[in-house]
Amino acid sequence: MAAREAGGVVLSKSAEKLFSLSGLFAVYKPKGPTSAGVLNLLKERLLAEAGVQTNGNKRNQVLKIGHGGTLDSAAAGVLVVGIGKGTKMLRTMLSGSKKYTAIGLLGKATDTLDATGKVTEEKPYDQVTKGDLENVLQKFTGDIMQVPPLYSALKKDGERLSTLMKRGEAVEAKPARPVTVYSLSLRQFQPPLFTLDVECGGGFYVRSLVSDIGKELSTCATMQELTRTKQGPFTLEEHALYEDKWTIDEIARSLEHCTSLLPGEPSHKKLKTEHPGETAVSCE
């Protein structure tokens, strides 16, 4: 059987299988790299396994792949990936619910609202009890208003706020916007550390939540660690492929397994009408 050609490149059987993949699956993003960096590494691995040789930047255009919502470089967890026609389904991941486990640190605030930033404030926290913290959480559950962090993927004049901040440019805080917290509970309290389980909707920043909790407790707080445990129907335990499973066959199996998690085809047709500017601003 003759090998198929695509864009002048003769495809091997593994390459044919790669380019036939279509749908959504999830990978594990470790702490450190950006979401885009993880996606690029995944893309490189798959193209290398398929033996696809392309020149320079064209390589990135050969395989249609994208992710469904930025996860901060300092955070870990579920990153939903769309491949082939699945890239058109990614917007449902942006607006859908997400679950996080976050570790906050009382008594310190940073400019980035997480452990990567410079300390901007220190306050005593000895007065805070477990009961105080649990009571405060009720104020942040349901439909609330939240000011996004300055160091974020939100954009001003086409550039991310975080990029502008790193250049030392003056950046005004975005106005508070409505967000939804479906559930919020205290898992552990060992001062100065506290661990939260959060389920939220699109556009929510867990860093801002931790900072706001600190202020509400008459001290300050910053996020130390963040793990996304669920995005839409994809969970960290059941669906996220770790780096050693980033192969064509493993992804094909995962796509087949995850098909039952997704809504029917008609709902995908609505997605083209949504605003493209929101793709990088979903959550942490």
Side-chain angles (χ1 to χ4, degrees):
M1 187 174 73
R4 190 163 59 90
E5 288 195 14
V9 178
V10 178
L11 301 180
S12 64
K13 280 190 176 180
S14 59
E16 280 196 35
K17 184 169 184 179
L18 173 60
F19 290 115
S20 72
L21 297 178
S22 187
L24 297 181
F25 63 100
V27 298
Y28 173 75
K29 188 198 95 63
K31 188 176 175 180
T34 63
S35 297
V38 168
L39 201 66
N40 286 335
L41 179 59
L42 172 65
K43 205 182 295 183
E44 284 174 19
R45 288 278 180 84
L46 295 174
L47 289 170
E49 183 191 346
V52 176
Q53 299 289 328
T54 56
N55 297 320
N57 293 332
K58 288 181 183 177
R59 163 170 258 196
N60 288 336
Q61 297 164 13
V62 171
L63 185 63
K64 201 171 182 185
I65 197 168
H67 68 73
T70 302
L71 193 56
D72 277 351
S73 54
V78 177
L79 187 68
V80 176
V81 177
I83 190 166
K85 291 180 181 177
T87 54
K88 294 179 181 178
M89 300 157 64
L90 287 171
R91 291 193 190 281
T92 57
M93 295 297 107
L94 290 171
S95 56
S97 76
K98 303 158 185 73
K99 287 185 179 179
Y100 296 88
T101 297
I103 299 176
L105 173 74
L106 290 169
K108 283 187 181 179
T110 67
D111 54 359
T112 59
L113 310 187
D114 66 14
T116 66
K118 295 176 184 174
V119 175
T120 56
E121 189 179 21
E122 294 192 51
K123 281 187 173 183
Y125 59 86
D126 298 347
Q127 75 282 5
V128 178
T129 67
K130 183 180 180 182
D132 293 335
L133 193 45
E134 286 174 332
N135 288 337
V136 159
L137 296 188
Q138 295 174 27
K139 296 184 180 180
F140 295 98
T141 306
D143 294 326
I144 62 170
M145 298 297 288
Q146 185 186 68
V147 177
L150 287 174
Y151 280 88
S152 71
L154 290 172
K155 292 182 178 180
K156 178 190 175 186
D157 300 328
E159 283 199 87
R160 289 187 175 200
L161 297 186
S162 54
T163 304
L164 297 173
M165 291 288 289
K166 286 170 187 172
R167 282 212 302 261
E169 295 188 24
V171 177
E172 284 186 21
K174 293 275 186 180
R177 58 187 190 174
V179 291
T180 302
V181 180
Y182 299 109
S183 65
L184 178 58
S185 59
L186 181 65
R187 179 186 284 194
Q188 198 169 23
F189 182 54
Q190 291 182 312
L193 298 175
F194 60 97
T195 304
L196 303 173
D197 285 325
V198 188
E199 183 175 7
C200 57
F204 187 83
Y205 282 88
V206 183
R207 284 178 287 147
S208 293
L209 169 70
V210 170
S211 175
D212 291 343
I213 286 171
K215 291 172 188 172
E216 195 69 31
L217 291 166
S218 301
T219 179
C220 52
T222 190
M223 192 175 72
Q224 293 298 101
E225 288 184 29
L226 182 70
T227 304
R228 184 155 68 196
T229 57
K230 190 169 189 263
Q231 186 177 9
F234 297 89
T235 66
L236 183 58
E237 285 185 6
E238 287 183 67
H239 308 111
L241 296 177
Y242 285 75
E243 202 174 320
D244 62 333
K245 303 272 189 177
W246 291 0
T247 66
I248 295 169
D249 286 345
E250 286 288 351
I251 289 170
R253 275 193 285 272
S254 185
L255 287 168
E256 196 173 333
H257 174 60
C258 294
T259 301
S260 61
L261 302 173
L262 305 173
E265 193 66 34
S267 63
H268 305 153
K269 293 177 183 175
K270 299 178 189 173
L271 305 176
K272 293 180 182 176
T273 61
E274 297 191 18
H275 301 293
E278 291 295 309
T279 52
V281 305
S282 62
C283 262
E284 291 298 332

